[in-house]
Amino acid sequence: MTFTWKTPPWERHEDCTHMAVTLTHVGGGEIAVASESVRGDNATDALADLLMGPGGAAKMSLPGLVGVVVRRGIDVMWMAQPPIEAAVSDTGEWTIAVHGVDEADVTAFSADDVRDLLARLRAAYG
């Protein structure tokens, strides 16, 4: 994959433009969430900032990773208690639902999507 940015999001000196919520299955059907603000021109850039920023790649190697939800804009209340539900479907796949926001402002990345992007970023940037 070719990345089109001139400066990778994790190396930019600019304000954060998105929120990223990492969902991790911690056992017993419980999901832990961790929210942080990230930079980027779109959801994929914002996910790249999350992955390549300090400690980002280590978080994504967790065996319980369910996915990451990226939302455009910063809303502290949303970060504190994101309206996200994760559930296992009949086929055993995780599904992620986000409530109360415009779908155009939210992107849900599966664990496979996250790990694939991380592998591509590592190949391109080390």
Side-chain angles (χ1 to χ4, degrees), residues 82-98:
I84 299 171
E85 290 181 31
V88 178
S89 70
D90 293 339
T91 61
E93 299 290 321
W94 282 101
T95 60
I96 299 171
V98 183

Side-chain angles (χ1 to χ4, degrees), residues 2-102:
T2 303
F3 298 102
T4 58
W5 51 58
K6 291 183 180 181
T7 303
W10 60 93
E11 292 180 355
R12 295 179 189 171
H13 298 287
E14 62 187 30
D15 290 338
C16 292
T17 55
H18 291 73
M19 298 176 290
V21 179
T22 303
L23 301 137
T24 307
H25 181 241
V26 292
E30 295 293 317
I31 300 292
V33 297
S35 301
E36 57 189 280
S37 53
V38 289
R39 298 162 291 205
D41 297 327
N42 56 48
T44 303
D45 286 5
L47 179 59
D49 186 39
L50 178 72
L51 294 173
M52 298 300 282
K59 289 185 284 191
M60 299 310 140
S61 63
L62 297 172
L65 179 66
V66 172
V68 175
V69 175
V70 174
R71 178 180 177 197
R72 182 182 1 204
I74 304 296
D75 180 338
V76 176
M77 294 304 293
W78 199 87
M79 285 179 76
Q81 196 166 20
I84 299 171
E85 290 181 31
V88 178
S89 70
D90 293 339
T91 61
E93 299 290 321
W94 282 101
T95 60
I96 299 171
V98 183
H99 305 286
V101 293
D102 185 343

Side-chain angles (χ1 to χ4, degrees), residues 9 56 110 125:
S110 70
Y125 295 97

